[in-house]
């Protein structure tokens, strides 16, 4: 039964993905691991290549298929094409790489007029048998003979009307089958094959043909996959969980995918197929009850689960079917899980000795850590009792929002509020077309469902808090109101949920950020041991700085000084400064801001005691500090001049108008400000050095790194440096005390990147401003990009929004050119990044690969960055190890 | 007399600029060429270095100086410090490189109380002798002993009042001298040295010290000149042209510097010093009269001039002085000349067998060719008689402007009109503080002066038409009016001048562009033989295209299709298209533009018959086609909808508002338009291919090169290419006729430059859009840059406005990276540039050096580019020859 063209699962070389395809190798693995997998065989990729070259099967393949099918019959004790209890097959394509454009699965090959009756009799469920037969004709016609689906669906709709599929009677389905056969004959120019071997042969051929269809070829060309890999074909015996009370089907996890709690977690249905579990028509039983219902099967399943977890060294997601008392494992894979579950499982697996701490770090994704950042209800601030309505805690985290009863409405409210609306989507259950409404909601509650329902799965994937299945929830959609635990709410009312406990609260409760303790702290501790990249934070206030330190920040990578300029008591001085006509006037007003600035820096240095603090000199265009509407302008005139006169108003309006820019992004800002008005830089540098000395006098350590924004040419930096060194020296002299400081620059203009060797002559450090570098390097204004960037991602011009995830192939090239040049000119130059990409995991991998010293991100992303940086280090070690081996 | 530290001009090694400095080597050259140069010696740079290291002169130097001075005395037959007819010296610094910050010249070293009397007696001009003595005390005090000039000037002003210097009597000057001596004593703490050798020693020391002053050190650091080069000191005998009627002074050119006409051209004054010629107080005589006044001197001078031209193989600018019948050549150098003169001289020198055609190409500067582009009065259009007022044709070209009588007013009018005012500066004569007014004027007329007066020299340098010395011009400044040839004009009246003939016309005459024939054509023909770079033009219309071909354009490097969209009969269709809600509507309106576009292209292909035409697909943001003020909006609504209603207005205003962008430069434009709305590209490509085929059917050759703007990622280009190739094939199929076309892209986004290897996979050619590449690469919006870019050039951050002359060190680096990557991926890829830098000579040198195939510039700059390209080729050959040798 093992020929050159075909291998049974149990005798195939499970490591040869090239010959068997990915799916074939996987089925061989599971079979050879001793799992009770439904038997089957794989037709090799070489057979496919032969078919592509010659347009026909290789000699002997038909014979091999017959023999292999007979072997499966022998194993099952049933006949392929047998009139009673027929053996059926699924046929699936399976190339080496998973690939769109390839042929879909065809289930239930082997059903014909006769075997359909046999299946109906055997399952005692004629509706099921006939519906399976109907689906086979439709899928087979569509997939293997290219008959448009619409041809079938139109006919089916005539019979079904607005009912669900399962509401059709067996008799009605008989009619549909006859119609389908007619459609098939008309479109394919042949009858639907009653010979089951014809079905198998045609299906196999269709898989081979699909390898060379246009969609597949285009995809391979785009992805650089060679045409001569070919695809394999997997033929597997079908098993049925709906053959009576000794049959059944279920889905389970080896640990709780929501919390990570130990113990098998899942559901099953007796006398049902897999789709029944997902459809949610019958309420499944808890997996623990299986041992009561089917003691042997239960025992066997739990043993298998335990072994699988040991074998794969991770939590498993297992699909199984019991056919007449015999257990079959349909699939096992590493289970999807929530963030808290991921952390708990990874740490537990280490404690159980199954994996190393390094592996644990790789088991948790940055997105998991991100989920942990979901806020919790701040019970310290309120006393609130949950409603009498506990539901399933399907996706953790607390959320607050206004009730909205359908997804379209949610989307609309979100759009109209420009993304500001906080919404709580409340639904009977959710379906795929609810996805847009789910995306824009803070949280989701459903009345029906379960831990594996659509709402639960999707919400966990998105990290959105969700309570799935809340029995006391009653929806009155037409009246736009709901009742929860007996209490009435109108659409638009505020409620709060805790997706971790399943509790629902009336009103808008205060939330607080998650705390990082226990297992998370252990995991992040392991991450810290692994990573090479330091993680800093972007923080403009002492509060932010303290938060970030709690989250593990090792310094500040970016303190923006302009936010400080906006504070109410300073803004009038800032505005007076901007409106000054002479340097002298400007200096006078700057003097009034000086003390504020110094206090800002003292606060930050104190919070960061001993950790470096990168302070960026004033960056934004000055007109950002001026008001633009009439009322604010009058307010400013009052503040600046003391009184409002027509002359003042005219002057100010003219000044503001004169400061407008066509492309402010590329205008008079950044270091350009300080070069034209050096007094601004002077005040800031004096404030920084003074603050550092005063903090030092408290016995603390201040490590300022003064950073110049928007450098394009080294000469700009040299000129700023002259001013800055002079002021710093003078300030230290005035205090009679020395302080160490560094002087460096942002690299955010492409010119600076490609001349970084020159720039490095004056800069002790670089910090990549990847936001602006992306804007200028790609010629895309972030503010205007919505007109095309979304479409660009759809058209796959860029794999992701380049403002979220660094465009490594382009902007990344500028970054690596600058790193190389910078290090050449100044070996050991300190390199960091303070753009928003500093908190994006895939960008962090890139930054690790080009050898930056640190990334800097918002305080709440620091834990994410710590993990991503650790994973980058581990991957780098692995691939260099692999390269070395 | 030749020691280690000091060399007489006649015995120095004229090739050793390192030892003698530039000036010293030049004086040695002239002397050794046999020119009657005033005798002198050079103290070496090594002496300077010794002084810098030890703080004192090297042993023997003082002695050497004495001996060298005595040798000069012997030659002159006069005594340094002699009581009657004293020998005087000038002392000048002279480093290897000319350098600001170094000590100024001190003239008349050797004047003291006694020798001053001797000079007065000898010249018979006590006022001159005393004024020279006064100036020596002032300059010596300021330059050698660091006494602020103000100290002297304040005292001088007390005596002079509002008179000119030369109006002071000898007696008054005696008083000034006494006061100056007092100031000197008070500030320097010593008397003004009466010992002439003390004067010489102190002056020499001052030169040495100035080498290490801060200003010089800073300059050297900025320019990378090593500190240990040192400066030389040149000591030269003074000669005087004011020693009576056998003395005199003059300036002459070996050919006419304004027209290039053969024959010595210049002026002299008997019994005068050089400054008298420049000051214009006395009217000089024409150089031809010299042979009549001083036959021997005249003959000698003309012989010397002829020999100098042969020796230096270029037109010479010579300063000479006759002292008591003896001719001295003070200076000879290649003479500055106007554009027409440069061309005529270069071609004549070739015809005379003095230089090769290659050398001729190097003798003319691109700026000279640019001057030829100055317009002429278009006499075909008008009959106009010049006023009865012919003046000196001091700088060629015609100019039209409104009369303005002072430079401040000119500047003000220019500024207030935002550079639009066309002004004619009319002055008695000009002085250095008129420069700003001259810069902003179209032309200049002066009442007094001459061909070497300030106005004439400066105007020629700037290429501004100028009539210097117009005898019939009378200014009534207080009444703000002038009289020219007896006719009255008020300030603000229009007049026209022809700087080539010296004629002045009433009113605003029409001008026409210069024609390129005769010698210019020969010279440019030689240039064409030398150059490697092709020169194309940017042209949007058949007229422009024809013009450019006349100027020698070899193709079109950029046809912007958007200009065509603005024409009156198309704009409503364009606007309707933009305001369409569906692709279908857009296609309908585009269809109406199609025929226009096709006709545009037919015209251009016809004009360029056989020459390549690069056509850029639509580039600007669509909102540029929409009106912004209420009136124009209503006009558009009428045109688009047929009637104006409140709803239409509201809708349109909202649409226009919605299309506004924060940074339109980086917004929805370029290829982004065609990717979101492919129907625009489709229409344009169909028009291009249709036009090409229809032109081909006429028996002409159309070579379209279709260019996609604003590509950042190769995938954008691939997507456009798909559409474009499909439409092109379909169009050719429809016509049943094939046409060759190329497909390529602009490189104007930094990302495209650094990923040019990827981009080249889809692009058959690159055209660098250096305008946008400069904006994005430097992060500078051209529209907003006036706030700082001027200051940046002043601060020497950039050597020139990077929008005029390519920033070679930064943006140039992006260009050369892109060239390298592009050629690597597609050997032989066609490379060009169509930004405004394509017409800038120094940028053209750069583009030649990175191996572009062509530059493209505006039609009128094509001749400039041809010459610059030739010079680039010649320089490249020279330096590669030098490198090879």
């Amino acid at each position: 039964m093992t020929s050159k063209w075909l291998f049974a699962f149990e005798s195939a070389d499970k490591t040869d993905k090239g010959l068997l395809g990915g799916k074939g190798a996987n089925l061989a693995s599971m079979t050879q691991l001793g799992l009770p997998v439904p038997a089957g065989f794989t037709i090799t990729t070489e057979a496919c290549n032969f078919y592509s070259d010659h347009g026909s099967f290789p000699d002997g393949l038909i014979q091999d298929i017959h023999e292999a099918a007979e072997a499966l019959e022998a194993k099952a004790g049933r006949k392929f094409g047998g009139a009673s209890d027929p053996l059926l097959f699924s046929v699936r394509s399976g190339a080496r790489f998973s690939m769109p454009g390839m042929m879909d699965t065809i289930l239930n090959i082997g059903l014909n007029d006769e075997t359909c009756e046999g299946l109906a009799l055997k399952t005692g469920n004629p509706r099921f048998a006939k519906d399976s037969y109907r689906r086979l004709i439709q899928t087979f016609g569509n997939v293997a003979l290219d008959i448009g689906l619409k041809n079938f669906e139109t006919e089916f709709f005539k019979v079904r009307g607005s009912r669900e599929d399962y509401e059709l009677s067996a008799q009605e389905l008989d009619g549909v089958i006859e119609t389908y056969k007619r459609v098939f004959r008309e479109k394919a120019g042949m009858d639907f094959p009653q010979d089951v071997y014809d079905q198998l042969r045609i299906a196999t051929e269709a898989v081979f043909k699909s390898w060379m269809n246009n969609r597949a070829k285009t995809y391979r060309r785009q992805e650089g996959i060679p045409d001569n890999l070919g695809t394999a074909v997997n033929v597997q015996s079908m098993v049925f969980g709906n053959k009576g009370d000794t049959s059944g089907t279920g889905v389970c996890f080896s640990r709780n995918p929501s919390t990570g709690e130990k113990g098998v977690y899942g559901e099953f249905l007796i006398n049902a197929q897999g789709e029944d579990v997902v459809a949610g028509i019958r309420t499944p039983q808890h997996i623990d009850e299986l041992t009561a219902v089917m003691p042997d099967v239960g025992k066997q399943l739990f043993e298998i689960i335990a072994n699988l977890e040991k074998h794969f060294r991770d939590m498993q997601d297992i699909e199984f079917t019991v056919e007449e008392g015999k257990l079959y494992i349909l699939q096992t894979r590493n289970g999807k899980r929530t963030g808290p579950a991921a952390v708990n499982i990874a740490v537990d697996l280490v404690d159980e000795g199954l994996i190393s701490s390094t592996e644990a770090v790789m088991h948790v994704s940055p997105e998991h850590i991100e989920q942990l950042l979901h806020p919790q209800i701040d019970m310290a601030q309120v006393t609130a009792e949950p409603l009498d309505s506990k539901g399933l805690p399907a996706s953790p985290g607390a959320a607050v929002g206004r009730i909205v009863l359908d997804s379209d409405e949610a989307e609309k409210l979100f759009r109209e509020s420009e993304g500001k609306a906080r919404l709580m989507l409340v639904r009977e259950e959710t379906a795929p077309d609810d996805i847009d409404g789910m995306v824009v909601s803070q949280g989701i509650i459903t009345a029906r469902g379960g831990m594996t329902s659509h709402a639960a799965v999707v919400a966990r994937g998105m990290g959105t808090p969700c309570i799935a299945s809340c029995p006391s929830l009653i929806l009155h959609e037409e009246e736009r109101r709901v009742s929860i635990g007996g209490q009435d709410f109108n659409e638009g009312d505020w409620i709060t949920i805790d997706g971790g406990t399943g509790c629902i609260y009336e009103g808008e409760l205060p939330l607080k950020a998650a705390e990082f303790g226990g297992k998370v702290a252990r995991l992040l501790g392991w991450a810290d041991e692994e990573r090479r990249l330091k993680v800093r934070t972007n923080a403009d206030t002492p509060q932010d700085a303290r938060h970030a330190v709690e989250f593990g920040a090792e310094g500040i990578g970016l303190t923006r000084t302009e936010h400080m300029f906006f504070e109410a008591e300073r803004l009038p001085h800032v505005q007076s400064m901007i409106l000054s006509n002479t340097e002298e006037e400007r200096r006078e007003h700057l003097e009034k801001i000086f003390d504020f600035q110094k206090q800002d820096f003292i606060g930050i240095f104190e919070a960061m005691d001993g950790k470096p603090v990168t302070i960026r000199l004033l960056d934004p265009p000055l007109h950002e500090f001026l008001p633009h509407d009439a009322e604010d302008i009058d307010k400013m005139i009052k503040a600046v001049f003391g009184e409002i006169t027509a002359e003042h108003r005219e002057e100010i309006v003219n000044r503001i108008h004169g400061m407008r820019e066509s492309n402010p992004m590329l205008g008079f800002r950044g270091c350009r400000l300080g070069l034209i008005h050096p007094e601004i830089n002077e005040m800031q540098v004096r404030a920084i050095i003074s603050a550092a000395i005063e903090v030092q006098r408290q016995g603390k350590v201040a490590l300022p790194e003064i950073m110049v924004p928007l450098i394009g040419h080294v000469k700009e930096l040299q000129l700023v440096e002259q001013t800055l060194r002079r002021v710093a020296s003078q300030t230290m002299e005035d205090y009679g005390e020395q302080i160490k400081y560094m002087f460096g620059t942002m690299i955010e203009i492409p010119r600076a990147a490609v001349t970084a060797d020159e720039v490095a002559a004056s800069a002790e450090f670089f910090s990549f401003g990847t936001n602006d570098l992306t804007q200028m390097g790609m010629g895309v204004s972030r503010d205007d990009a919505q007109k095309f960037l979304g479409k660009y991602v759809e058209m796959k011009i860029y794999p992701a929004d380049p403002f979220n995830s660094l465009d490594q192939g382009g902007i990344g090239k500028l970054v690596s050119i600058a790193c190389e040049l910078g290090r050449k000119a100044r070996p050991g130059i300190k390199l960091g990044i303070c753009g928003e990409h500093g908190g994006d995991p895939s960008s962090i991998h890139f930054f690790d690969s080009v050898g930056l010293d640190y990334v800097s991100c918002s305080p709440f992303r620091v834990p994410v960055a710590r993990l991503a940086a650790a994973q980058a280090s581990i991957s780098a070690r692995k691939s260099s190890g692999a390269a070395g081996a």
Side-chain angles (χ1 to χ4, degrees), chain A:
Chain A
M1 206 175 47
T2 292
S3 82
K4 189 183 161 193
W5 306 111
L6 178 155
F7 296 93
F9 294 164
E10 60 270 28
S11 56
D13 174 1
K14 66 185 185 217
T15 63
D16 195 348
K17 279 194 185 179
L19 190 67
L20 304 174
K23 200 172 285 158
N26 187 258
L27 286 162
S29 289
M30 289 205 294
T31 305
Q32 291 167 37
L33 206 62
L35 295 187
V37 174
F41 56 87
T42 302
I43 305 170
T44 69
T45 56
E46 285 175 2
C48 174
N49 288 337
F50 185 98
Y51 186 87
S52 298
D53 293 344
H54 302 85
S56 63
F57 284 175
D59 283 351
L61 177 56
I62 294 284
Q63 183 59 29
D64 290 347
I65 291 173
H66 274 263
E67 282 169 17
E70 280 157 20
L72 296 181
E73 287 175 332
K75 267 190 198 138
R78 276 143 58 206
K79 278 280 176 198
F80 181 49
S84 68
D85 196 9
L87 181 60
L88 304 181
F89 295 142
S90 64
V91 171
R92 290 181 172 92
S93 68
R96 175 158 195 170
F97 303 102
S98 122
M99 231 179 78
M102 292 298 297
M103 201 193 79
D104 289 336
T105 300
I106 306 182
L107 297 177
N108 295 326
I109 293 270
L111 277 182
N112 55 20
D113 294 351
E114 196 180 359
T115 58
C116 179
E117 291 302 323
L119 184 65
L121 219 60
K122 181 69 199 177
T123 58
N125 188 345
R127 204 209 55 78
F128 164 75
K130 289 172 202 289
D131 195 48
S132 301
Y133 189 25
R134 167 189 82 81
R135 287 170 192 265
L136 173 65
I137 301 171
Q138 172 173 321
T139 310
F140 191 89
N142 172 245
V143 166
L145 290 151
D146 216 19
I147 303 172
L149 267 185
K150 206 156 193 103
N151 295 295
F152 295 109
E153 282 170 351
T154 312
E155 297 297 334
F156 186 59
F157 184 75
K158 283 182 194 158
V159 179
R160 198 197 66 173
S162 62
R163 291 176 296 168
E164 297 289 337
D165 283 16
Y166 60 81
E167 291 180 80
L168 271 66
S169 70
Q171 204 181 350
E172 285 173 308
L173 283 167
D174 278 336
V176 172
I177 287 167
E178 286 315 306
T179 312
Y180 270 24
K181 284 192 199 159
R182 178 176 52 75
V183 170
F184 190 100
R185 191 162 46 242
E186 284 169 13
K187 297 292 168 187
M190 63 181 266
D191 283 324
F192 174 76
Q194 293 293 321
D195 179 330
V196 296
Y197 277 101
D198 278 353
Q199 291 178 8
L200 188 53
R201 180 181 50 77
I202 293 170
T204 303
E205 230 176 314
V207 173
F208 287 165
K209 282 179 185 159
S210 73
W211 175 255
M212 292 306 284
N213 72 23
N214 285 332
R215 205 172 139 220
K217 279 199 284 191
T218 302
Y219 177 82
R220 288 197 296 270
R221 201 169 48 243
Q222 279 172 358
E223 300 295 313
I225 299 174
D227 277 341
N228 64 3
L229 291 183
T231 180
V233 181
N234 297 295
V235 178
Q236 192 175 19
S237 302
M238 298 282 303
V239 291
F240 293 93
N242 56 351
K243 285 188 173 173
D245 286 346
T246 58
S247 299
T249 192
V251 176
C252 62
F253 296 88
S254 59
R255 300 180 189 229
N256 186 320
S258 184
T259 63
E261 213 179 332
K262 287 184 210 182
V264 177
Y265 182 91
E267 298 158 329
F268 72 98
L269 275 172
I270 289 296
N271 195 17
Q273 279 289 74
E275 56 260 41
D276 300 325
V277 180
V278 178
I281 303 155
R282 286 164 54 195
T283 297
Q285 291 176 269
H286 194 278
I287 197 73
D288 288 344
E289 294 171 34
L290 186 63
T291 33
V293 181
M294 297 179 177
D296 291 349
V297 167
K299 187 162 169 270
Q300 189 192 358
L301 178 66
F302 279 69
E303 272 173 25
I304 287 173
I305 290 172
N307 286 331
L308 279 176
E309 209 182 57
K310 274 197 190 106
H311 180 79
F312 290 109
R313 306 162 71 227
D314 198 2
M315 186 265 274
Q316 295 298 297
D317 169 359
I318 297 144
E319 287 176 30
F320 66 93
T321 284
V322 183
E323 188 183 59
E324 297 182 319
K326 180 159 169 40
L327 173 69
Y328 292 98
I329 303 296
L330 302 185
Q331 179 166 273
T332 184
R333 54 185 172 187
N334 293 343
K336 292 208 187 307
R337 63 205 76 179
T338 64
V343 171
N344 287 336
I345 291 169
V347 174
D348 286 349
L349 289 176
V350 172
D351 290 343
E352 291 164 26
L354 271 178
I355 60 173
S356 68
S357 64
T358 303
E359 285 169 309
V361 168
M362 296 304 276
H363 270 222
V364 177
S365 76
E367 291 72 26
H368 285 143
I369 295 293
E370 207 180 328
Q371 279 181 39
L372 295 178
L373 303 172
H374 286 298
Q376 303 294 326
I377 297 171
D378 188 356
M379 287 303 181
Q381 283 195 53
V382 284
T383 47
E385 285 299 316
L387 301 172
D388 183 15
S389 70
K390 204 161 170 178
L392 276 181
S395 182
V400 179
R402 289 170 185 273
I403 293 171
V404 56
L405 297 182
D406 70 75
S407 293
D408 290 346
E409 179 70 11
E411 247 200 293
K412 189 175 142 241
L413 291 171
F414 189 78
R415 205 176 47 240
E416 287 176 356
S417 69
E418 295 182 346
K420 294 202 186 81
R422 297 168 71 201
L423 305 167
M424 186 70 65
L425 184 65
V426 181
R427 300 281 290 153
E428 191 70 32
E429 58 182 339
T430 63
D433 60 4
D434 283 310
I435 190 80
D436 291 333
M438 296 171 81
V439 166
V440 300
S441 297
Q442 301 288 314
I444 299 157
I445 312 175
T446 64
R448 289 188 290 150
M451 289 303 281
T452 51
S453 69
H454 180 265
V457 172
V458 171
R460 279 200 297 273
M462 300 191 305
T464 302
C466 173
I467 296 176
S469 181
C470 172
S472 79
L473 169 64
I474 302 161
L475 286 99
H476 307 278
E477 289 197 47
E478 62 297 341
E479 298 158 35
R480 309 308 284 176
R481 64 181 183 85
V482 296
S483 158
I484 306 174
Q487 195 162 332
D488 276 344
F489 295 89
N490 290 317
E491 193 167 30
D493 286 348
W494 287 98
I495 54 172
T496 300
I497 65 171
D498 184 338
T501 62
C503 291
I504 304 177
Y505 301 83
E506 186 183 353
E508 189 184 359
L509 299 191
L511 303 185
K512 62 166 184 175
E515 271 163 38
F516 281 79
K519 291 185 179 167
V520 192
R522 285 180 68 197
L523 184 88
L524 289 175
W526 295 331
D528 292 343
E529 286 166 23
E530 303 285 349
R531 69 187 158 90
R532 184 191 62 73
L533 273 176
K534 299 257 177 213
V535 176
R536 295 195 187 183
T537 190
N538 299 352
D540 302 344
T541 63
Q543 297 90 300
D544 277 1
R546 275 189 293 271
H547 255 124
V549 170
E550 281 163 26
F551 282 137
E554 296 163 291
I556 290 183
L558 175 63
T559 291
R560 281 168 290 237
T561 49
E562 54 266 24
H563 290 191
M564 305 166 177
F565 279 43
F566 278 109
E567 288 187 17
E569 36 181 0
R570 317 176 185 189
L571 193 55
H573 297 305
V574 174
Q575 293 173 333
S576 300
M577 185 270 289
I578 293 169
L579 296 171
S580 298
N581 290 309
T582 65
E583 186 187 320
E584 209 177 349
E585 276 184 60
R586 268 192 302 274
R587 283 191 188 280
E588 220 168 86
H589 294 297
L590 283 165
E591 201 51 45
K592 290 178 189 147
I593 310 169
F594 169 78
D595 273 328
F596 292 114
Q597 280 263 292
K598 193 179 75 177
Q599 287 309 321
D600 295 328
F601 297 137
I602 286 176
I604 290 175
F605 289 142
E606 284 174 349
M608 297 305 287
D609 181 18
K611 296 188 174 70
V613 176
T614 309
I615 298 171
R616 183 174 72 185
L617 300 180
L618 195 66
D619 182 52
L622 294 180
H623 53 71
E624 284 194 8
F625 297 102
L626 299 180
H628 290 282
D629 65 48
E631 197 180 321
D632 289 344
I633 288 175
D634 278 357
K635 221 182 277 170
M636 180 182 75
I637 293 171
K638 186 104 178 78
V640 170
F641 297 100
E643 55 162 359
I644 302 171
T645 67
E647 292 78 45
H648 282 146
R649 193 180 287 129
E650 195 190 331
E651 186 200 331
I652 294 301
V653 167
N654 284 342
R655 289 288 291 273
I656 292 174
H657 190 84
M659 291 175 84
R660 272 193 209 146
E661 296 185 302
S662 311
N663 297 287
M665 243 279 305
L666 309 178
F668 184 46
R669 68 183 192 96
C671 70
R672 298 161 190 174
L673 298 174
L675 284 167
I676 305 297
H677 304 308
E679 57 277 8
I680 301 178
N681 284 356
E682 288 177 23
M683 182 279 286
Q684 293 200 300
V685 170
R686 194 153 55 89
I688 293 166
I689 301 293
S690 301
I693 293 174
E694 293 185 19
V695 168
Q696 183 168 277
R697 285 188 176 167
Q698 297 173 32
K700 293 192 167 185
V701 178
L703 296 175
E705 301 180 345
I706 303 175
M707 181 160 77
V708 183
L710 216 69
I711 286 292
H713 195 296
V714 63
K715 286 191 183 165
E716 292 172 294
L717 195 63
Q718 287 166 342
L719 288 170
V720 178
E721 188 184 6
Q722 278 171 23
T723 305
L724 192 142
R725 298 254 182 231
R726 175 175 53 73
V727 172
S729 302
Q730 183 61 50
T731 309
M732 291 191 273
E733 204 172 293
D734 292 347
Y735 273 94
E737 190 163 336
Q738 295 295 305
I739 195 88
K740 273 189 197 154
Y741 68 96
M742 282 181 89
F743 173 73
T745 182
M746 305 272 293
I747 299 286
E748 52 187 338
I749 289 186
R751 192 190 190 285
V754 296
T755 60
D757 44 351
E758 295 166 16
V759 176
S762 258
E764 295 174 291
F765 65 87
F766 288 167
S767 177
F768 289 95
T770 48
N771 297 351
D772 272 3
L773 196 60
T774 299
Q775 296 200 83
M776 296 178 199
M778 296 179 66
V780 173
S781 159
R782 187 174 193 168
D783 292 336
D784 304 312
Q786 74 283 359
K787 289 206 178 78
F788 56 92
L789 212 50
K791 205 89 195 284
Y792 263 43
V793 174
E794 261 174 45
M795 292 193 280
K796 301 202 171 171
I797 293 172
Y798 291 105
D801 182 334
F803 292 106
N804 294 335
S805 194
L806 190 80
D807 160 40
Q808 299 180 15
I811 304 309
K813 206 160 165 190
L814 285 171
V815 171
S816 62
I817 288 172
C819 289
E820 224 168 275
L821 292 175
R823 273 190 291 250
K824 206 169 69 184
R826 187 189 284 265
I829 185 171
K830 194 186 267 195
L831 300 170
I833 179 260
C834 62
E836 283 178 37
H837 302 99
D840 171 64
S842 104
S843 308
I844 290 170
H845 274 253
F846 174 80
F847 296 131
D848 186 66
S849 76
V850 295
L852 296 198
D853 296 299
Y854 68 86
V855 296
S856 186
C857 54
S858 66
F860 284 92
R861 293 202 67 89
V862 165
V864 175
R866 287 162 69 192
L867 182 75
Q871 294 182 338
S873 282
I874 295 168
S875 303
R877 276 204 306 276
K878 264 193 203 159
S879 62
S880 78

